[in-house]
Amino acid sequence: MQRRRFLGMAAAGLAGATGVTASACGGGTGPGGDDVTLKVVAADYGDPGGGNGSQAYWDELARGFRKKNPGVAVDVTVLSWNDVDEKVAAMVADGEPPDIAQIGSYADYAAQGRLYDVAQLLPIPVQADYLPALADAGEVNRAQYGLPFVSSTRLLFYNKALFADAGIDPDAPPRSWAELRSAARKLKADGVPIPYGLPLGPEEAPAETMMWLLGGGGSYTDNGDSYVLDSPENIATFEWLRDELVGAGLTGAKAPAETNRQDVFDAFGRGEVGMLNGHPTLMQQADRQGVEYGTAVLPGRNGPAGSTMGVADWAMAFKANGNGDAAGKFLAYAFDVDHHYDFVGRYDLLPVTTSASARMRADDAHQNMRRFLDQLPTAEFYPVGKVSWGKVSAEIKRTIGRAVEEGVDPGNILRTLQQTAETEESAGAAR
């Protein structure tokens, strides 16, 4: 498998480097010297009903930046993860891209020549503070265009009270698929509505898919970075899901293809879900709703999965409006250690800079994040550096849920996805 790993978590001498707020390209005015209003589109990391939407953070950040940079205003639009990638793609297609986008993938835009190279945006100390493997993952043809924004790893979450009620040891979570299936059967027998939450709807399908592929010994790409969506291991994984979980009625009444991540997160908070794969933000939601939960390494086919999934979301600056100088200053300001740590701390996400990572590991207030930090050395990330990934991810969101439906051959779904991936990759290489 190709693994995007975090390395060099303690790069010497770089703590606090993101305190630099000067752009590598100079001043904060537009190409004609006039004041600039940067248009920023960002994703929302809050959960519905939690009163923790991301718009407040961005508005505060924009106000602080404006005070330090009177010539640059920042107008931020925050959108749901269900919509943000599609909305930005539509803006680009209409010839009206934002100056900065904070979304799920960047490589296709970089391959089209639409993005500033990071070296054009940020001074060297700011660039150097990014965790090395994430900086590498932001490259296309050896130039970095994607700025890692936040990251997370995944663990199995389970409801300890529901486990105890069903006669399952709450201190011995499942380590293999067979144990997970056994626990799900007991939870179902005890009346739990959703023994295992399987969100294969559009919001989370690529992530949930990848976690199961890793547990089955597969992934999206091989060691040579070629797509292997229809590998025997991946097909066998979805056959198991179809027959042993979904077909056995262990994922609840709603079809996985119609189930989004927030659906199962909300249901977990209501005490209706026995187990699900989750990222750190789920801890906040569960704590607010008084759920006694445990976490564990993701189960695999024959024991604990050899690696977990890591996710990095990306920021990028578009060239179209000619506002590279102002965009670089704002991005440098956003990745100042205090501002970046403020954001990841609000949502229990993992930092993408050396300085903020060191602060989190030393911060007792975030000791519950250390288990997620510990997963980083074996985390595998989406193939975000492939110019085709944005379109492949969209197609996974659209179709993968059908692979677990009764009477459907998962191999057909995965072979179609493989053909799409190869076609898109060839088209991207030809541009």
Side-chain angles (χ1 to χ4, degrees), residues 44 78 102 149 164 184 216 220 262 272 294 310 381 390 422:
D44 194 352
V78 175
Q102 185 268 299
F149 184 71
Y220 286 131
Q262 198 60 52
E272 299 171 1
F381 291 79
E422 291 174 354

Side-chain angles (χ1 to χ4, degrees), residues 290-357:
V291 176
E292 184 184 4
Y293 63 89
T295 59
V297 174
L298 300 181
R301 181 177 291 278
N302 299 309
S307 64
T308 189
M309 188 191 76
V311 172
D313 301 326
W314 299 91
M316 63 213 70
F318 286 87
K319 293 179 177 178
N321 301 319
N323 291 329
D325 291 353
K329 291 192 74 173
F330 182 66
L331 287 166
Y333 184 80
F335 284 103
D336 173 272
V337 63
D338 292 331
H339 301 146
H340 183 48
Y341 195 68
D342 178 16
F343 189 86
V344 297
R346 290 186 189 208
Y347 297 107
D348 280 341
L349 294 164
L350 301 182
V352 299
T353 64
T354 299
S355 53
S357 294

Side-chain angles (χ1 to χ4, degrees), residues 13-373:
L14 296 177
T18 50
V20 180
T21 58
S23 166
C25 336
T29 57
D34 298 327
D35 286 359
V36 169
T37 296
L38 290 174
K39 299 293 185 181
V40 179
V41 176
D44 194 352
Y45 290 81
D47 59 88
N52 62 344
S54 300
Q55 187 72 57
Y57 168 83
W58 284 104
D59 289 345
E60 180 182 341
L61 190 74
R63 285 193 296 270
F65 178 77
R66 177 72 166 177
K67 289 180 180 179
K68 290 180 176 291
N69 300 271
V72 186
V74 184
D75 179 11
V76 185
T77 300
V78 175
L79 299 172
S80 161
W81 272 112
N82 291 337
D83 304 318
V84 66
D85 289 288
E86 184 178 348
K87 294 281 189 181
V88 170
M91 294 170 72
V92 173
D94 291 341
E96 298 179 350
D99 295 292
I100 295 170
Q102 185 268 299
I103 52 178
S105 63
Y106 65 87
D108 194 29
Y109 298 129
Q112 296 170 28
R114 297 180 182 275
L115 302 181
Y116 287 104
D117 184 324
V118 171
Q120 298 173 289
L121 295 168
L122 302 177
I124 290 174
V126 180
Q127 297 177 54
D129 198 32
Y130 287 109
L131 294 166
L134 275 182
D136 291 345
E139 293 182 355
V140 173
N141 296 327
R142 299 187 178 182
Q144 186 182 353
Y145 296 92
L147 288 161
F149 184 71
V150 293
S151 62
S152 69
T153 55
R154 304 299 172 94
L155 293 170
L156 179 74
F157 282 70
Y158 63 98
N159 185 310
K160 287 190 170 185
L162 295 181
F163 265 46
D165 291 344
I168 309 166
D169 185 349
D171 296 318
R175 295 167 56 83
S176 68
W177 289 358
E179 291 179 5
L180 184 145
R181 178 186 57 197
S182 175
R185 287 172 172 168
K186 292 177 181 178
L187 290 164
K188 182 180 180 181
D190 199 48
V192 175
I194 306 173
Y196 178 84
L198 185 66
L200 292 177
E203 182 187 6
E204 185 71 346
E208 187 72 17
T209 295
M210 186 170 175
M211 286 181 272
W212 282 97
L213 297 185
L214 291 172
S219 189
Y220 286 131
T221 58
D222 62 15
N223 287 330
D225 200 27
S226 296
Y227 283 112
V228 287
L229 287 152
D230 61 347
S231 70
E233 294 85 356
N234 292 349
I235 293 172
T237 291
F238 270 87
E239 289 175 341
W240 190 91
L241 285 171
R242 178 196 62 192
D243 298 337
E244 304 298 333
L245 279 190
V246 180
L250 301 178
T251 57
K254 192 174 182 179
E258 300 171 0
T259 304
N260 282 322
R261 172 180 61 189
Q262 198 60 52
D263 296 335
V264 292
F265 277 21
D266 291 345
F268 188 74
R270 295 192 299 267
E272 299 171 1
V273 178
M275 299 173 284
L276 75 166
N277 293 332
H279 55 65
T281 302
L282 180 56
M283 294 188 297
Q284 288 189 355
Q285 189 170 348
D287 288 339
R288 275 199 311 273
Q289 296 174 280
V291 176
E292 184 184 4
Y293 63 89
T295 59
V297 174
L298 300 181
R301 181 177 291 278
N302 299 309
S307 64
T308 189
M309 188 191 76
V311 172
D313 301 326
W314 299 91
M316 63 213 70
F318 286 87
K319 293 179 177 178
N321 301 319
N323 291 329
D325 291 353
K329 291 192 74 173
F330 182 66
L331 287 166
Y333 184 80
F335 284 103
D336 173 272
V337 63
D338 292 331
H339 301 146
H340 183 48
Y341 195 68
D342 178 16
F343 189 86
V344 297
R346 290 186 189 208
Y347 297 107
D348 280 341
L349 294 164
L350 301 182
V352 299
T353 64
T354 299
S355 53
S357 294
R359 182 179 291 188
M360 178 169 281
R361 190 170 285 280
D363 188 348
D364 287 341
H366 288 291
Q367 60 180 327
N368 59 353
M369 295 296 294
R370 291 170 187 163
R371 187 164 196 173
F372 292 91
L373 285 166

Side-chain angles (χ1 to χ4, degrees), residues 384-427:
V384 291
K386 298 177 78 64
V387 297
S388 55
W389 175 244
K391 292 181 179 178
V392 173
S393 176
E395 193 65 11
I396 292 170
K397 291 179 179 182
R398 192 179 71 83
T399 64
I400 197 64
R402 293 178 47 227
V404 297
E405 292 176 358
E406 182 179 2
V408 173
D409 180 1
N412 289 338
I413 304 292
L414 292 168
R415 281 187 285 271
T416 299
L417 284 169
Q418 179 71 17
Q419 292 170 1
T420 298
E422 291 174 354
T423 299
E424 293 295 338
E425 189 68 9
S426 296

